[in-house]
Amino acid sequence: MNQLLKDQKVFPTETHSVDFCVVGGGMAGLCAAVAAARRWAKVVLMQDRAVLGGNASGEIRVTLSGADRGNQIPNTRETGILEELRLENCRRNPNIQFPIWDLLLYETAHFEPNLTLLLNCSVMDAVMDGNHIVSVTGWQLTTQTFHTVKAKIFADCSGEGILAPLTKAECRIGREARSEFGESIAPEKADRKTMGMTCIVQCREHGSVQTFEAPKWAYRFDTCDDIPYGVRHHVMLNEGYWWAEMGGEHDSTHDAEWMKDECLKITLGVWDHVKNRCPEAKADKWAIEYLSFMPGKRESRRYVGDHVLSQVDIDAEGKFDDLVAYGGWSMDDHHPGGFWSVRVGSPATIFHHSPCPYGIPYRSLYSKNIDNLMFAGRNHSCTHAAMSSTRLIATGGVMGQAVGTAAAMAVAHGISPREIAKHMNELQQSLIQDDCWLPWVAQDIPELTRQAKLQATTGNPDPLRDGTNRPIAEDRHAWTARRGDSATYLFGSPKE
């Protein structure tokens, strides 16, 4: 930082001393902060935007998807804090309006005891003591105030991995060579290419004809042959065009503003074609309702943890001993050339098979070389190939809850994030108690409950204590009762 920032004579500085600092208020960061606060850790959540939710916010408007692949795969939906938020949104926001969703996320963080929310606050500096983070400092644009946060543990859930260059945490950018991890879908040679970014456009149908005049700087696409997928994707009038993507062959961080400009030129050019140059689109009564000037980004830095999750791990279902989260989306690898490559016949994305679910280990959620740094979301420790699946927003959310729960445990035990490995059963059982599903990990049932005789007026009640809290394949793991039925635990003698 320059001398003005060091002296801070012009602008005030507010200092916070807490247990846990989360940088980044997307779904991963929000779930991490709330999980830790609910387990009695003092938490600061620093978010550089005015709203929470990241790509799922009303500012960017990407669908909150995950392992269930849009309800295509039964009984794989993420639960915990994420499902709590989605259910509350269904109750309060039946018309699914993004401003109400943004409000719900704001309320969840702002009114959570033990949690201090700093919106519009961009992290710009970190103070280190060897390989230990002492504090981070952010600039809050709206108050013209520096905020310095001292914490025992930090989590970077920013997507961008902003703490990597500030702390010298080991990280990766781009695609690994096929030989490094034995990944069949990786390129032969490593490179720095990534998946790109998209500006979401949403449109609404009106009762009368709506006109659209494209700005002069937008690209022009005269024929359907100029548009990827032709008429088939013109039906996406209210969803936007995810394939109007840019940036994978450039620096996804430092070229971001130029890429945003290109995304806007492409997106408005596509809409101009749909409205004014395609007789089959039938969009004469449709008009733009929302255009995002903050692109949804798919990839940038990825941290290196004690384990780097790979395609090989995903293919093997990720049955790790330290499983604390899970994914299930296909390995959805977007072409780094984005829109322009798609126009000339390259696939916009390749949906490589992945099992659903697959486990994500705790060792991929904390830093290999910074002893009090954790992370969750698309910047967690993984290869490019694995990240093409784990980058999904709901997958990041369950990673975040695992990180927040682990951080609160580490603070309570007075240990580092790495040392939580010695308390893995406690972490896993805490997550299950907080409504998270961990594939292949059963809930611990007290021995007293197991020893009791269990009988029911109908059917077999044993699934009440089998430790699995959702249907798996054909096994419902449930006791089905009719009105008036009962199940009873019988003990041979009084128990305390």
Side-chain angles (χ1 to χ4, degrees):
M1 301 195 303
N2 64 32
Q3 191 61 42
L4 173 63
L5 304 188
K6 289 180 180 178
D7 293 345
Q8 297 179 5
K9 294 178 179 178
V10 176
F11 301 108
T13 297
E14 186 172 341
T15 300
H16 312 261
S17 295
V18 295
D19 298 314
F20 184 43
C21 176
V22 180
V23 176
M27 297 310 298
L30 176 62
C31 290
V34 171
R38 289 180 178 178
R39 288 189 167 269
W40 308 110
K42 295 294 184 182
V43 182
V44 164
L45 173 57
M46 306 175 79
Q47 164 71 331
D48 62 358
R49 311 300 298 177
V51 293
L52 297 164
N55 280 348
S57 71
E59 187 177 35
I60 303 177
R61 304 193 176 195
V62 178
T63 302
L64 205 167
S65 300
D68 64 353
R69 304 183 191 179
N71 298 319
Q72 294 181 29
I73 302 180
N75 304 315
T76 56
R77 183 178 170 103
E78 298 81 5
T79 47
I81 293 171
L82 194 68
E83 181 69 348
E84 174 189 324
L85 293 170
R86 290 194 285 199
L87 290 174
E88 182 66 7
N89 191 51
C90 289
R91 185 183 75 83
R92 292 175 51 184
N93 190 16
N95 295 320
I96 314 300
Q97 298 297 315
F98 270 101
I100 304 302
W101 169 247
D102 287 341
L103 180 63
L104 172 61
L105 300 186
Y106 163 77
E107 289 178 354
T108 300
H110 185 69
F111 295 103
E112 180 66 43
N114 299 319
L115 198 164
T116 299
L117 176 62
L118 299 177
L119 293 174
N120 300 297
C121 191
S122 296
V123 170
M124 53 191 297
D125 190 34
V127 173
M128 302 294 296
D129 180 6
N131 65 347
H132 187 89
I133 306 172
V134 176
S135 67
V136 299
T137 296
W139 168 252
Q140 191 170 50
L141 180 66
T142 49
T143 63
Q144 297 187 357
T145 300
F146 292 103
H147 288 270
T148 294
V149 182
K150 300 177 181 180
K152 298 171 184 175
I153 297 175
F154 294 81
D156 189 339
C157 303
S158 66
E160 289 293 282
I162 182 60
L163 292 186
L166 296 176
T167 65
K168 307 303 181 185
E170 190 175 341
C171 67
R172 292 172 174 247
I173 298 175
R175 304 186 294 188
E176 288 79 8
R178 185 174 301 174
S179 59
E180 183 175 2
F181 291 90
E183 296 177 311
S184 63
I185 67 174
E188 288 289 347
K189 294 183 179 181
D191 58 40
R192 290 178 65 86
K193 294 181 179 180
T194 63
M195 290 179 275
M197 59 179 68
T198 301
C199 287
I200 297 294
V201 60
Q202 293 182 327
C203 305
R204 181 166 62 92
E205 189 173 17
H206 295 257
S208 58
V209 172
Q210 305 292 306
T211 61
F212 175 73
E213 180 181 343
K216 294 180 180 179
W217 45 264
Y219 289 119
R220 177 167 172 146
F221 307 113
D222 287 315
T223 71
C224 286
D225 290 338
D226 293 330
I227 302 294
Y229 308 112
V231 177
R232 180 164 65 88
H233 267 318
H234 290 170
V235 297
M236 298 173 66
L237 297 176
N238 62 348
E239 297 179 18
Y241 303 99
W242 57 265
W243 39 262
E245 180 179 353
M246 271 296 295
E249 295 178 332
H250 303 273
D251 188 312
S252 63
T253 298
H254 298 105
D255 294 330
E257 283 299 311
W258 172 80
M259 290 189 290
K260 179 259 295 177
D261 294 342
E262 289 295 298
C263 284
L264 289 173
K265 292 177 184 179
I266 292 168
T267 300
L268 292 170
V270 170
W271 182 242
D272 173 52
H273 170 80
V274 170
K275 283 289 295 180
N276 301 322
R277 309 183 197 289
C278 180
E280 299 181 64
K282 299 179 181 179
D284 56 316
K285 293 184 180 180
W286 287 77
I288 290 177
E289 184 173 53
Y290 183 81
L291 175 63
S292 173
F293 280 75
M294 182 69 178
K297 189 178 291 189
R298 295 177 176 87
E299 182 178 4
S300 47
R301 300 182 185 96
R302 303 185 307 281
Y303 284 102
V304 175
D306 279 353
H307 182 83
V308 179
L309 188 74
S310 70
Q311 177 201 347
V312 175
D313 294 325
I314 290 177
D315 286 341
E317 298 183 277
K319 294 183 178 180
F320 299 99
D321 291 340
D322 61 341
L323 183 158
V324 292
Y326 70 95
W329 193 266
S330 62
M331 285 177 275
D332 177 7
D333 196 3
H334 288 225
H335 195 294
F339 178 83
W340 301 113
S341 294
V342 178
R343 283 186 76 224
V344 296
S346 298
T349 187
I350 299 177
F351 293 94
H352 300 281
H353 170 75
S354 70
C356 183
Y358 61 80
I360 297 172
Y362 177 69
R363 286 167 296 149
S364 71
L365 301 180
Y366 62 85
S367 174
K368 180 178 180 180
N369 69 313
I370 304 298
D371 63 21
N372 63 337
L373 176 61
M374 307 181 76
F375 28 76
R378 62 180 173 87
N379 61 1
H380 82 105
S381 178
C382 60
T383 65
H384 165 90
M387 191 275 303
S388 68
S389 173
T390 61
R391 65 186 172 86
L392 270 289
I393 299 171
T395 307
V398 293
M399 283 190 231
Q401 185 161 354
V403 162
T405 304
M409 280 180 53
V411 169
H413 288 294
I415 59 178
S416 69
R418 178 176 283 111
E419 292 174 296
I420 286 290
K422 301 173 185 177
H423 304 267
M424 188 49 56
N425 185 66
E426 180 186 349
L427 174 57
Q428 291 173 330
Q429 293 303 312
S430 295
L431 290 167
I432 291 172
Q433 290 167 13
D434 289 342
D435 195 39
C436 292
W437 178 52
L438 301 181
W440 311 292
V441 180
Q443 183 173 10
D444 287 345
I445 304 299
E447 189 60 28
L448 183 64
T449 303
R450 291 189 179 278
Q451 290 177 354
K453 181 179 180 181
L454 178 58
Q455 64 183 31
T457 54
T458 185
N460 176 18
D462 284 342
L464 290 174
R465 56 183 178 185
D466 72 359
T468 301
N469 300 326
R470 70 167 65 189
I472 306 294
E474 301 301 318
D475 191 340
R476 298 189 65 240
H477 292 281
W479 172 59
T480 302
R482 301 163 302 185
R483 180 178 295 179
D485 284 336
S486 63
T488 307
Y489 289 91
L490 299 175
F491 302 93
S493 60
K495 305 292 182 180
E496 293 185 0

